[in-house]
Amino acid sequence: MTTTISNSYLTAQIKHTGAELCSLKDNSNKEYIWSGNPEFWGKHSPVLFPIVGTLKDNTYQHDNVQYHLSRHGFAREMEFELIDKQETSATFSLVSSPETKEKYPFDFDLHLIYTLENKSLKIEYKVFNNGETKMPFSIGAHPAFDLPGNFENYSLVFEKNETLNYYLLKDGLISDTTDELHLDENELHLNYELFANDALVFKKIASKSITILEKSKPFLKVSYSDFPDLGIWTPSNAPFICIEPWFGYSDTIDKSGNLFEKEGIQILEPNGIFHSLFSIIII
């Protein structure tokens, strides 16, 4: 099942499974979101919750109980409820259940709110801690943007002129090894070799927006001022790029197994509300 919202400039479609954005088109019918062809990657723009990335051995401990969580958590595979629908906005909810508590023993309500404003799509995350104890979590976005044609015709322009050190992954975990991206006046020219070792992971990145260019012409911007961390990824030979604003990332190699001690984790007080948003802007 999908829900459609639209305005004079854009039309967005959201799947109820994962409350996942699966299409964003302008009024000339140009598609900006990856099709989800499983030959490369069968997703479009999943939400990552209650973890981002991978836990060591896919496990953690809480109150002397061991739990298992697969990569990027479970929210992206679950059915959300559509709780509000307007012409230009839609709100989806996922509430904790006996099924989720087998993997994550906390009482939560996760809202995804999609709102079209002129030529932008605003995507908001709200996390409610409905329990009586503190709740550790990470949350992140994973939108894949369609890049038809020659991948090397595209580039990314970072908001700030900064030294971009990224962390190398080892078996899906954050290693203690970093490398540096070499930019040409804030611009990163895309090629598949950049992603030979999986995603590029940036902790506490200063740039809060990235613009995608095709043959030096900008056409889409991702703005994520709320988010401290970022991933950029594509599989080999795939015609898309993922620009992923995150709160948190995979376990480090020397992790303790305690979610409350996990690097990059968010801690939400009882009855607390977490709110963040990012925007996809068509240029």
Side-chain angles (χ1 to χ4, degrees):
M1 185 181 296
T2 63
T3 288
T4 300
I5 58 175
S6 63
N7 66 8
S8 300
Y9 303 99
L10 300 172
T11 298
Q13 284 189 308
I14 304 104
K15 290 182 177 180
H16 292 208
T17 301
E20 182 181 7
L21 176 69
C22 59
S23 176
L24 180 64
K25 293 181 178 180
D26 63 19
N27 50 21
S28 71
N29 212 38
K30 176 177 170 58
E31 178 64 78
Y32 293 91
I33 299 298
W34 165 242
S35 67
N37 180 349
E39 179 184 351
F40 296 105
W41 188 56
K43 296 289 187 180
H44 312 274
S45 180
V47 59
L48 315 182
F49 177 88
I51 58 167
V52 170
T54 304
L55 299 177
K56 189 173 183 181
D57 300 323
N58 294 317
T59 63
Y60 68 97
Q61 294 81 40
H62 178 67
D63 285 347
N64 297 316
V65 178
Q66 186 175 81
Y67 295 90
H68 298 272
L69 267 178
S70 59
R71 182 175 176 84
H72 293 323
F74 49 72
R76 60 183 180 159
E77 307 294 347
M78 302 195 73
E79 289 298 310
F80 281 65
E81 180 185 359
L82 178 65
I83 61 172
D84 184 71
K85 169 67 169 68
Q86 308 295 327
E87 183 178 357
T88 60
S89 69
T91 301
F92 297 83
S93 169
L94 177 68
V95 180
S96 55
S97 65
E99 180 184 1
T100 67
K101 287 187 176 182
E102 290 180 1
K103 304 173 183 178
Y104 181 70
F106 300 96
D107 292 300
F108 68 86
D109 189 357
L110 169 62
H111 288 186
L112 266 67
I113 306 160
Y114 294 88
T115 306
L116 290 171
E117 295 178 351
N118 297 318
K119 293 184 178 181
S120 72
L121 174 64
K122 182 170 67 174
I123 303 170
E124 297 178 74
Y125 299 141
K126 287 187 177 180
V127 182
F128 301 82
N129 181 357
N130 295 334
E132 298 178 353
T133 61
K134 293 181 179 181
M135 185 175 84
F137 73 96
S138 285
I139 193 164
H142 202 317
F145 299 105
D146 201 38
L147 302 183
N150 185 348
F151 188 74
E152 295 190 3
N153 285 343
Y154 296 91
S155 59
L156 306 180
V157 175
F158 290 76
E159 176 197 20
K160 295 186 182 297
N161 182 18
E162 59 180 308
T163 300
L164 281 171
N165 291 313
Y166 63 94
Y167 286 78
L168 300 179
L169 294 171
K170 183 177 181 181
D171 299 325
L173 305 181
I174 301 288
S175 73
D176 55 6
T177 304
T178 62
D179 204 347
E180 184 177 336
L181 275 187
H182 298 285
L183 304 183
D184 177 11
E185 296 183 349
N186 295 29
E187 186 172 356
L188 175 66
H189 299 278
L190 290 179
N191 64 80
Y192 291 115
E193 187 61 30
L194 288 166
F195 308 98
N197 191 51
D198 207 336
L200 309 179
V201 177
F202 305 94
K203 301 178 185 179
K204 296 180 171 56
I205 188 168
S207 289
K208 296 302 179 183
S209 70
I210 291 177
T211 302
I212 306 177
L213 281 63
E214 182 182 11
K215 295 180 179 177
S216 301
K217 182 180 180 181
F219 68 92
L220 184 146
K221 182 178 184 179
V222 183
S223 179
Y224 50 92
S225 58
D226 288 350
F227 290 77
D229 311 307
L230 185 78
I232 301 176
W233 173 77
T234 193
S236 180
N237 298 317
F240 66 83
I241 191 74
C242 292
I243 299 173
E244 309 174 40
W246 295 338
F247 279 87
Y249 30 80
S250 290
D251 264 342
T252 53
I253 291 173
D254 59 353
K255 68 99 187 184
S256 70
N258 181 339
L259 270 190
F260 284 92
E261 298 174 352
K262 186 178 185 299
E263 191 175 297
I265 203 75
Q266 306 299 301
I267 308 295
L268 192 57
E269 296 291 331
N271 302 310
I273 302 172
F274 168 93
H275 177 246
S276 65
L277 66 88
F278 75 101
S279 296
I280 301 169
I281 303 148
I282 307 305
I283 299 171

